[in-house]
C-alpha cells in the first residue's frame, strides 16, 4: 500500500471499500538486486561454476554456499559434513574418494555422480516436505529457513518476503510455485561455522591442494579471518558458552570465542552479602509473626472484645497479604544486555541487517483528553528510533475516529521528514522534540561544531512552527460543525459518528512514501481506526489492540510487537535493540513471550507526593518476579513475541517441561509416568501449539477449497478450525505461520487493502477465540494483567529489562483526585479478574505457572480487598481513644518482646530491600503513605463497584468536578482541588483520629498522671494513621497561600491541647480546699 495512496475506508459486511484522496500514479514492480554471484561462507571467495555452467552446490540438502576448494578440504581433512545442516558431503565429479564414501546409503556415483539434475530435484522435494511439516512441527522460531528463490518486491505495496527480513518456509510447496533453487545465498548467523586452521609453514600439498593459487588464497583467507569471525555463532547452553565445531586441534580454538558467539544478555545476581541477610530476616519475621499472632489470638481483651476481635482479624489478613507480596521477591535478579554482541551477530556494518522486524503500536482515543502534541512526540520518537528503517512500522490506533488525530498525524509525518535525519545525524537523546528541547543541559557539550548549533536552532524553529500548526488544529476541533467534519478535498470525514463508522486505514510514510530531507527512507507510519457499529461489543483498549495485531499482520507482519500508550515516548533510541537482545537470543527467545520495561515519568513534583513513580513496584517487586517466571505485563512499554499472542505454546526443553514442585510432590514426576520419551515430549509439545498442526495453505488453495490434495476433507476441517480460531481471513491465517515475520510470498499485494479493512471490521471476531485465547484477553479493564497471566500459564517466561537510560518515559496524573481515579480503575480491573474464570486462585493448575508466580498474580487481584481491614484498622485508634479502651491487654515483659521484635523485623526487611534494590527511603515512605491513602479510598470503592458490576450488572461511575487553580507555574495541577466521592473515607478517618487524639489527651489530663502511660500506646497508633494520610491532608488543604500545611495541622492540634489544659488549670477559680480552711467570707 502506497503512502501517497490516500485513506482507505470501508466495511467488510457492507461490501464497501472507498479510497479517499487517491493518487493514481502507480509505480511498477522493481526487481531485486541481481544476486547470481554467491560467496563462499568459509573463505569468502566466489563459489564458482561447475563444468556444465551451473552454480557449484556442495550440499544438495540445504545448498549452503561453499566453494570447490573448501569442499575438498572439508571432505579430506575437515569434518566431512555441511557446516549448516551437518549432512555428510556426497562425492562430486572429480572428487577423490575419502574414508566413508563406501558407507553411503545411496548408490555409488559410478553411474549417478554426474547427474546434477537428480540432486537438485531431490533438494527441491526435500524443501517441499519441510514446508508441509513446518506447521505441525512448529519449528524453532529463532531458526529461519533459507530463502532459495529469486523474488520481486512490489514497490508501492507492502513488500513481500525479502532475504534479510523474512523467514520463507518454502517456494516449491503450497505457498508458491517452484523456482530455480540455489540462486540466492542464505547466511544464518545462528549456526556455527566450522573454521579450519591452516598452518602456512606446512607443505600446502599436505592439505590435498596442489593448486598454485591456493597459497595466495590461504594468505587472503588469513587476512579475512578476523572479519569472518563476526559471522560465527555457536550453540551454547543457557548461561554457558559452547564449543566451536570443526576447529583444528592446534590450540587456536580459544581465539574463535569472541563476542559474536557469546550470549547477548546475562543475569546479574544480587550479591549474596545483600541477599542472604534479606532472606534470613524474612524467615525470622515469619517466625516472629507466628508467635505474635498466637499471642494475640490466645489473649483476648474481655472489656473490649469487639475491638480486639476486629484487630485480630485485620492482623491475620495483613499477615496473609504480606506473604503474598513478600515471597515472590525471594530471588530478585538484575539483567545486563550487550548491544555490541547483538550488532556483531545480526547487524554487521556493511551487510544487510538481519534484525527481526518490529511493529510498534500506539493507542489513543480522545484527542481532547490525550493532546495530539503528546501523541505526535511519541510517534516522532518511534520513527527516529535507532533501528533499520525497513524493520520498523508504527501503527497508531485512533479508537475515537477523530479527524483531529488524523490531521495531527498527517502534520507529524511531514515534520518527521526533517526531524528523523536530524536525530540520526547528531545522535541526540531523547528523540521526542518536546522533551529534547526542554532539557536544561548544555547541548553544546561534546557537540561544539558550528554546524550542529545552527542546525539545532533551525530545527527548534521548525518544531515551534509545527506546534503552532498542531495547536491551531486543536483550537479548530473544539466545536464540531453541524454538518460534521470534512476533509481538505471536501470529502465528509468517515468517522463523524464515533460509534457508527467504517474502518479507516491511511499509510502516511513507508518504503514507497516520501523520503526524508536527506533522501533516505522512513519507517512506516499507519493510521488505523477500526470499524464500529451499534450492537457490537468493541472491548475498549483490548479490542483496539487486537485489531492492530491483525491489520499489522496483513500489512507488515513484524515478528515482534511493541505497544506504548500515546503519552509514553521512546526516551532511549536503542530500546528496540535492548528488547532484541532477549527476543532474538537462540535460547531465551524460544520461550520469552514479552520483554517488559519499567515505567518512568516526567512532570512529577520533586517529592512525588502521591507516589506516581511507583518506584517500589518497578524496582523491587518486578525484579523479584523476574527471578521467578518474569514480570507481569503493565500495559505499556512491552515488546511481545507475536507467536505468544497467537496463543501458541513456547518451545521448552525437557527441564522446562518438568512439573512444578507442588505437582511433583502430589502426583509424581510427569517424566517418570511417561517413560521420559523425548520423542513423545516433542510430539506432545508440537500438538500443544494449538491449531497449528496443519500445512500452510496457498491463498488460492484456501479460497478454492484446497484443491489438489488427497485428503480434501481433512484439510477442510483443518481450515475450518483455523478460521474458527483466527477468523475468516486467509491472508491473516497464512501470516500467523511466518514465525520470523514477513508477508507470505504468495500473498497478492493488490488484496492487502481489502484484507486490512476486513480484519478490522466490527464483526470479524464473532465466533472466534480473539479475546479468549488469542491476543489481548477480554473481561477486565486491566487487560494487561489478564493477558500476561494467560501467557505465563502456558509456560512462557517474560523478561524485565532495565537499561541504564530509561527506555520509555510518560506522564502521570499528579493531582490527588486524578491519581485516585487512576488507582480506582486498576483496582476495579483486579476485582473483575477475581470474579472471573481466569482468577489465579483456581485457573491454570494444569499449565506451567510456577507456584511463586501464582502467588504474585494472586496478590495483584486480591489487594483491593485489603481496603476493608485497612480502613477498620485505621479507625481503631480513634475508637480506643474515645472509649478509653485498648485492643491489647496489659502485657508482661516477655510478651512485649514479640511486639518489639515484630516492629524491628518489619523495618529491617524494608531496609534490606532498599539496600539490594537501590530505592531511596523517601520513595519507600511515599509508597507506604499512598498504600494507606489508596487503600482507604479507591480500593474500597473498587471492591463495591466491582461486586455491583459483576454480580448485579450495575455500572457505577464516580464523577470528578474540578475547581480552577489560582496558581501558575510548575506543578500548578498539583494544587488543583477536584472533589470526588473517593475523598470521603480517608477524610473521615483523618477527622476521627484527630478528634480521638484531642479526646484522649483531655481525658488523660482530667484523670491524672496514671492515665498517661496507656495513652501513649493509643496515641502512637493514631499518629501512625495521620502520618500515612499526611499527603492526602496536604491535597485537601491545597497551597493555602504557601503556608506549610504542617504548620496548620500542628497549630490546630496544639491549640486544642493548650485550650483543654487552660480549662483544666483555670487559675481564676479558687481551690475548694483553700476555701474550707480559710476565711468564709460574707456568706459564712
Amino acid at each position: 500500500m502506497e503512502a501517497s495512496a490516500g485513506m482507505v475506508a470501508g466495511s467488510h459486511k457492507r461490501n464497501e471499500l472507498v479510497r479517499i484522496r487517491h493518487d493514481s500514479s502507480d509505480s511498477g514492480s522493481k526487481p531485486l538486486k541481481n544476486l547470481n554471484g554467491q560467496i563462499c561462507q568459509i573463505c569468502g571467495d566466489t563459489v564458482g561454476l561447475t563444468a556444465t555452467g551451473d552454480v557449484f552446490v556442495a550440499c544438495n540438502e540445504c545448498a549452503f554456499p561453499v566453494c570447490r576448494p573448501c569442499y575438498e578440504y572439508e571432505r579430506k581433512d575437515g569434518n566431512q559434513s555441511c557446516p549448516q545442516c551437518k549432512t555428510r558431503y556426497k562425492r562430486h565429479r572429480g572428487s577423490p574418494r575419502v574414508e566413508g564414501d563406501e558407507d553411503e546409503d545411496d548408490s555409488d556415483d559410478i553411474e549417478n555422480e554426474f547427474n546434477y539434475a537428480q540432486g537438485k530435484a531431490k533438494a527441491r522435494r526435500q524443501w517441499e516436505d519441510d514446508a508441509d511439516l513446518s506447521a505441525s512441527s512448529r519449528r524453532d522460531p529463532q531458526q529461519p529457513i533459507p530463502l532459495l528463490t529469486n523474488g520481486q518486491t512490489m514497490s508501492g505495496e507492502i513488500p513481500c518476503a525479502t532475504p534479510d527480513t523474512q523467514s520463507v518456509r518454502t517456494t516449491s510447496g503450497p505457498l508458491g510455485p517452484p523456482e530455480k533453487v540455489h540462486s540466492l545465498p542464505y547466511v544464518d548467523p545462528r549456526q556455527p561455522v566450522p573454521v579450519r586452521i591452516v598452518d602456512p609453514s606446512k607443505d600446502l600439498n599436505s592439505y590435498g591442494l596442489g593448486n598454485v593459487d591456493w597459497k595466495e588464497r590461504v594468505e587472503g583467507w588469513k587476512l579475512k579471518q578476523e572479519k569472518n569471525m563476526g559471522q560465527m555463532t555457536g550453540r551454547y547452553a543457557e548461561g554457558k558458552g559452547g564449543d566451536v565445531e570443526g576447529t583444528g586441534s592446534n590450540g587456536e580454538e580459544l581465539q574463535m570465542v569472541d563476542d559474536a558467539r557469546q550470549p547477548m544478555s546475562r543475569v546479574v545476581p544480587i550479591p549474596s552479602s545483600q541477599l542472604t541477610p534479606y532472606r534470613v530476616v524474612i524467615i525470622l519475621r515469619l517466625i516472629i509473626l507466628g508467635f505474635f499472632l498466637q499471642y494475640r489470638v490466645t489473649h483476648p481483651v474481655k472489656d473490649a472484645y469487639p475491638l480486639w476481635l476486629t484487630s485480630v482479624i485485620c492482623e491475620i489478613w495483613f499477615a496473609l497479604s504480606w506473604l503474598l507480596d513478600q515471597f515472590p521477591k525471594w530471588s530478585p535478579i538484575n539483567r545486563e544486555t550487550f548491544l555490541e554482541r547483538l550488532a556483531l551477530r545480526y547487524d554487521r556494518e556493511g551487510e544487510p541487517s538481519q534484525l527481526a522486524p518490529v511493529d510498534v503500536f500506539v493507542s489513543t482515543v480522545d484527542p481532547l483528553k490525550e493532546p495530539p502534541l503528546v501523541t505526535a512526540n511519541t510517534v516522532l520518537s518511534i520513527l527516529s528510533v535507532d533501528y533499520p528503517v525497513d524493520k520498523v512500522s508504527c501503527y497508531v490506533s485512533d479508537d475515537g475516529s477523530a479527524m483531529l488525530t488524523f490531521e495531527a498525524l498527517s502534520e507529524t509525518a511531514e515534520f518527521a521528514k526533517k526531524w528523523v535525519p536530524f536525530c540520526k545525524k547528531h545522535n541526540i537523546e531523547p528523540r521526542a522534540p518536546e522533551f529534547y528541547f526542554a532539557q536544561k543541559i548544555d547541548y553544546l557539550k561534546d557537540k561544539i561544531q558550528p554546524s550542529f548549533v545552527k542546525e539545532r536552532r533551525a530545527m527548534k524553529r521548525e518544531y515551534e512552527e509545527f506546534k503552532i500548526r498542531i495547536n491551531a488544529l486543536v483550537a479548530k476541533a473544539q466545536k464540531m460543525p453541524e454538518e460534521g467534519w470534512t476533509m481538505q478535498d471536501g470529502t465528509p470525514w468517515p468517522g463523524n459518528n464515533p460509534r457508527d463508522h467504517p474502518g479507516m486505514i491511511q499509510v502516511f510514510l513507508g518504503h514507497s512514501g516520501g523520503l526524508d530531507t536527506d533522501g533516505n527512507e522512513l519507517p512506516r507510519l499507519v493510521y488505523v481506526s477500526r470499524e464500529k457499529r451499534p450492537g457490537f461489543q468493541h472491548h475498549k483498549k483490548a479490542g483496539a489492540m487486537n485489531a492492530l495485531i491483525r491489520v499489522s499482520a496483513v500489512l507488515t507482519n513484524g515478528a515482534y510487537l511493541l505497544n506504548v500508550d500515546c503519552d509514553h515516548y521512546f526516551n532511549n533510541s536503542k530500546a528496540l535493540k535492548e528488547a532484541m537482545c532477549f527476543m532474538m537470543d537462540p535460547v531465551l527467545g524460544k520461550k520469552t513471550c514479552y520483554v517488559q520495561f519499567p515505567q518512568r515519568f516526567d512532570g512529577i513534583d520533586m517529592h512525588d507526593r502521591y507516589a506516581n513513580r511507583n518506584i517500589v513496584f518497578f524496582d523491587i517487586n518486578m525484579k523479584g518476579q523476574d527471578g521467578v517466571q518474569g514480570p507481569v505485563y503493565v500495559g505499556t512499554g512491552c515488546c511481545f513475541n507475536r507467536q505468544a499472542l497467537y496463543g501458541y505454546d513456547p518451545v521448552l526443553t525437557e527441564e522446562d517441561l518438568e512439573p512444578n514442585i507442588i505437582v511433583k510432590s502430589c502426583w509424581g514426576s510427569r517424566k517418570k509416568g511417561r517413560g521420559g520419551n523425548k520423542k513423545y515430549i516433542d510430539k506432545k509439545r508440537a500438538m500443544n501449539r494449538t491449531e497449528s498442526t496443519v500445512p500452510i495453505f496457498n491463498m488460492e488453495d484456501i479460497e478454492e477449497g484446497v484443491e489438489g490434495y488427497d485428503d480434501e476433507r481433512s484439510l477442510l476441517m483443518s481450515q475450518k478450525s483455523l478460521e474458527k480460531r483466527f477468523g475468516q481471513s486467509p491472508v491473516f491465517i497464512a501470516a500467523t505461520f511466518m514465525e520470523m515475520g514477513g508477508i507470505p510470498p504468495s500473498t497478492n499485494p493488490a488484496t492487502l487493502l481489502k484484507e486490512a479493512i476486513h480484519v478490522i471490521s466490527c464483526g470479524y471476531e464473532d465466533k472466534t477465540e480473539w479475546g479468549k485465547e488469542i491476543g489481548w484477553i477480554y473481561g477486565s479493564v486491566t487487560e494487561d494483567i489478564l493477558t500476561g497471566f494467560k501467557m505465563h500459564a502456558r509456560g512462557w517466561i517474560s523478561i524485565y529489562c532495565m537499561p541504564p537510560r530509561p527506555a520509555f518515559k510518560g506522564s502521570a496524573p499528579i493531582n490527588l483526585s486524578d491519581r485516585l481515579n487512576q488507582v480506582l480503575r486498576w483496582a476495579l480491573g483486579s476485582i473483575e479478574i477475581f470474579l472471573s474464570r481466569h482468577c489465579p486462585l483456581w485457573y491454570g493448575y494444569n499449565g506451567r505457572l510456577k507456584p511463586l508466580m501464582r502467588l504474585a498474580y494472586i496478590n495483584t487481584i486480591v489487594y483491593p480487598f485489603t481496603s476493608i481491614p485497612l480502613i477498620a484498622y485505621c479507625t481503631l485508634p480513634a475508637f480506643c481513644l474515645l472509649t478509653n479502651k485498648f485492643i491489647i491487654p496489659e502485657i508482661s515483659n516477655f510478651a512485649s518482646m514479640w511486639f518489639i521484635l515484630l516492629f524491628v523485623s518489619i523495618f529491617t526487611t524494608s531496609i534490606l530491600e532498599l539496600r539490594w534494590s537501590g530505592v531511596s527511603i523517601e520513595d519507600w515512605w511515599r509508597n507506604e503513605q499512598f498504600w494507606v491513602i489508596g487503600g482507604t479510598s479507591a480500593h474500597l470503592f473498587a471492591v463495591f463497584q466491582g461486586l455491583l458490576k459483576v454480580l448485579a450488572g450495575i455500572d457505577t461511575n464516580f464523577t470528578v468536578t474540578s475547581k480552577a487553580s489560582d496558581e501558575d507555574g510548575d506543578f500548578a495541577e498539583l494544587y488543583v482541588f477536584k472533589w470526588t466521592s473517593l475523598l470521603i473515607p480517608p477524610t473521615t478517618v483523618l477527622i476521627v483520629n484527630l478528634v480521638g487524639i484531642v479526646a484522649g489527651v483531655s481525658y488523660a489530663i482530667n484523670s491524672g498522671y496514671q492515665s498517661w502511660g496507656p495513652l501513649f500506646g493509643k496515641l502512637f497508633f493514631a499518629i501512625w494513621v495521620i502520618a500515612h494520610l499526611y499527603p492526602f491532608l496536604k491535597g485537601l488543604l491545597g497551597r493555602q497561600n504557601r503556608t506549610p500545611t504542617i504548620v496548620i495541622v500542628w497549630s490546630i492540634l496544639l491549640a486544642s491541647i493548650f485550650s483543654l489544659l487552660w480549662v483544666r488549670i483555670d487559675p481564676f477559680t479558687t481551690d475548694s480546699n483553700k476555701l474550707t480552711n480559710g476565711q468564709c467570707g460574707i456568706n459564712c
Side-chain angles (χ1 to χ4, degrees), residues 61 91 201 224 358 401 444 455 549 604 685 832 854:
E61 299 295 330
R91 278 189 61 203
S201 63
K224 295 178 183 178
V358 181
S401 67
L444 298 178
E455 289 184 29
I549 293 177
I604 297 177
R685 183 174 61 207
E832 290 175 339
R854 185 177 296 278

Side-chain angles (χ1 to χ4, degrees), residues 64-244:
F64 186 74
V66 175
C67 65
R68 186 64 177 259
C70 293
Y71 161 80
E72 299 289 0
Y73 174 84
E74 291 296 335
R75 277 178 46 82
K76 183 176 181 182
D77 295 320
N79 56 12
Q80 301 183 357
S81 63
C82 173
Q84 176 166 275
C85 67
K86 303 297 182 286
T87 304
R88 178 182 169 81
Y89 276 138
K90 303 293 182 65
R91 278 189 61 203
H92 289 287
R93 175 187 296 180
S95 297
R97 286 185 177 274
V98 297
E99 183 180 358
D101 283 352
E102 292 77 12
D103 301 333
E104 293 179 356
D105 296 331
D106 296 341
S107 59
D108 198 287
D109 65 347
I110 298 297
E111 299 178 358
N112 300 314
E113 66 176 342
F114 302 108
N115 189 354
Y116 281 82
Q118 179 179 350
K120 291 164 65 177
K122 179 180 178 181
R124 187 175 303 169
R125 288 194 302 272
Q126 177 68 26
W127 285 111
E128 291 176 5
D129 296 339
D130 287 347
D132 291 337
L133 295 174
S134 61
S136 59
S137 61
R138 300 308 298 175
R139 290 173 181 255
D140 176 359
Q142 299 294 335
Q143 178 67 33
I145 299 175
L147 174 64
L148 302 178
T149 63
N150 287 325
Q152 288 186 346
T153 179
M154 304 296 292
S155 84
E157 298 292 345
I158 303 298
C160 299
T162 56
D164 59 326
T165 58
Q166 325 300 348
S167 168
V168 181
R169 297 182 180 281
T170 177
T171 54
S172 58
L175 277 180
E179 300 283 350
K180 180 181 177 182
V181 297
H182 311 324
S183 60
L184 185 63
Y186 180 83
V187 181
D188 185 3
R190 302 172 182 83
Q191 292 293 333
V193 179
V195 179
R196 48 187 177 163
I197 307 301
V198 181
D199 188 355
S201 63
K202 296 183 180 180
D203 185 4
L204 294 179
N205 291 326
S206 62
Y207 292 96
L209 300 168
N211 195 336
V212 178
D213 296 334
W214 179 246
K215 183 174 182 179
E216 297 178 1
R217 295 192 61 204
V218 169
E219 295 297 331
W221 175 80
K222 289 176 63 179
L223 294 176
K224 295 178 183 178
Q225 185 178 12
E226 292 184 0
K227 179 180 178 181
N228 291 337
M229 285 284 291
Q231 301 178 2
M232 294 174 49
T233 58
R235 297 174 302 173
Y236 58 90
E238 188 172 2
K240 299 180 180 179
D243 297 330
V244 184

Side-chain angles (χ1 to χ4, degrees), residues 473-524:
L473 292 174
V474 175
K476 180 182 176 182
Q478 295 299 316
K479 185 178 181 180
M480 177 185 288
E482 294 182 0
E483 65 277 8
W485 299 110
T486 56
M487 303 179 73
Q488 293 180 357
D489 60 351
T491 307
W493 172 246
N496 276 322
N497 187 346
R499 298 182 180 180
D500 186 4
H501 64 85
M504 296 178 284
I505 298 176
Q506 166 76 62
V507 177
F508 287 106
L509 298 173
H511 296 279
S512 59
L515 305 177
D516 63 23
T517 53
D518 292 345
N520 299 318
E521 292 181 349
L522 292 167
R524 259 189 207 91

Side-chain angles (χ1 to χ4, degrees), residues 605-623:
D605 58 299
M606 182 177 62
H607 298 292
D608 192 14
R609 179 188 293 180
Y610 305 121
N612 284 280
R613 293 190 178 95
N614 254 338
I615 293 294
V616 172
F617 174 76
F618 286 112
D619 287 16
I620 297 181
N621 293 68
M622 297 284 269
K623 286 183 179 179

Side-chain angles (χ1 to χ4, degrees), residues 6 104 135 162 193 196 218 244 292 327 403 469 681 695 718 720 757 770 782 904:
E104 293 179 356
T162 56
V193 179
R196 48 187 177 163
V218 169
V244 184
F292 171 80
F327 279 96
M403 185 174 170
R469 294 194 295 271
I681 293 176
S718 298
K720 290 182 178 179
I757 292 295
W770 284 101
T782 52
V904 170

Side-chain angles (χ1 to χ4, degrees), residues 266-342:
R266 72 183 183 100
V267 173
V268 182
I270 306 295
S272 58
S273 60
Q274 299 178 3
L275 197 57
T276 301
Y278 175 66
R279 291 174 173 173
V280 170
V281 171
I282 291 175
I283 298 299
L284 292 177
R285 179 175 171 180
L286 185 62
I287 296 172
I288 295 170
L289 187 60
F291 281 103
F292 171 80
L293 293 177
Q294 185 267 343
Y295 174 82
R296 293 285 285 121
V297 172
T298 57
H299 290 76
V301 182
K302 296 181 180 179
D303 59 341
Y305 193 83
L307 296 178
W308 168 84
L309 182 61
T310 302
S311 65
V312 169
I313 293 175
C314 294
E315 289 162 1
I316 293 175
W317 178 268
F318 294 151
L320 294 175
S321 178
W322 171 75
L323 290 175
L324 293 175
D325 179 70
Q326 185 66 68
F327 279 96
K329 298 183 288 188
W330 182 260
S331 301
I333 60 172
N334 293 311
R335 294 185 187 269
E336 181 182 4
T337 56
F338 303 100
L339 297 180
E340 65 281 358
R341 296 178 183 176
L342 177 75

